[in-house]
Amino acid sequence: MNLLYIHGLDSSPRPDKVAVLQDIADNVWAPQLNYRENPDTFAYLLEGAKKREINYIVGSSAGGFMGYWLAPHLQCKALLFNPALAFQSIIQQIVTLTTVTSFQPFYSIILGGQDEVIPPQTTLDFLMKHNSPTQYYIDHINSLGHQIDMPTYEYACYKYIVK
């Protein structure tokens, strides 16, 4: 398995989180991104993911937003933590698929009930409007905020990422 890890806004790929993914996947690409300075982050990730033959995505917050839109292009599954789907605080150029395929991406989504940055209901409303319920599974963790602690991160990675 070749996995792409996409960190959130104003963040970085934490070594401890990357290490968990390296235990699960054969190869992990975890680039340092500057969303504020590069409005073409999506194109950069898409090109790099295709080169590396990425077949699974893990993303958090702004990285979850990127992962959501990349999955159909790469025809892969994604594990998204508190994805920023309903609104953006930065401008990013997203390319949507122009060709019709039979592939339906599947998203495992972890939502924090205490997330004050991205209220979980906004993500649920977005998914209900734009996706079939067969395309996603929601794991709503009431005690979780926006930041993903290591026990929750490990739990989700080992539960949802299957080789």
Side-chain angles (χ1 to χ4, degrees), residues 27-158:
N27 299 294
V28 176
W29 181 41
Q32 175 66 51
L33 304 169
N34 187 337
Y35 299 101
R36 293 185 191 281
E37 297 294 320
N38 183 4
D40 296 313
T41 299
F42 180 85
Y44 167 76
L45 289 171
L46 182 58
E47 180 181 330
K50 285 181 176 180
K51 273 190 219 173
R52 290 167 178 82
E53 299 179 0
I54 296 296
N55 51 20
Y56 204 99
I57 300 169
V58 175
S60 182
S61 192
F65 168 82
M66 290 291 176
Y68 175 87
W69 292 105
L70 284 166
H73 286 272
L74 301 173
Q75 298 193 359
C76 69
K77 294 180 180 179
L79 170 59
L80 310 176
F81 294 90
N82 293 324
L85 300 179
F87 56 91
Q88 293 297 300
S89 61
I90 55 168
I91 302 297
Q92 284 292 316
Q93 302 300 316
I94 302 299
V95 178
T96 56
L97 280 178
T98 56
T99 57
V100 177
T101 70
S102 61
F103 178 79
Q104 295 270 323
F106 186 81
Y107 307 100
S108 299
I109 300 175
I110 310 302
L111 293 179
Q114 303 302 311
D115 190 343
E116 294 180 2
V117 176
I118 302 168
Q121 190 61 49
T122 63
T123 301
L124 293 170
D125 291 345
F126 179 93
L127 290 168
M128 286 188 285
K129 182 177 178 181
H130 298 285
N131 297 89
S132 160
T134 61
Q135 286 183 274
Y136 58 89
Y137 175 78
I138 302 292
D139 197 341
H140 193 184
I141 301 174
N142 287 328
S143 62
L144 186 66
H146 189 67
Q147 298 298 318
I148 309 302
D149 59 81
M150 279 306 292
T152 301
Y153 182 81
E154 289 182 52
Y155 150 80
C157 289
Y158 285 107

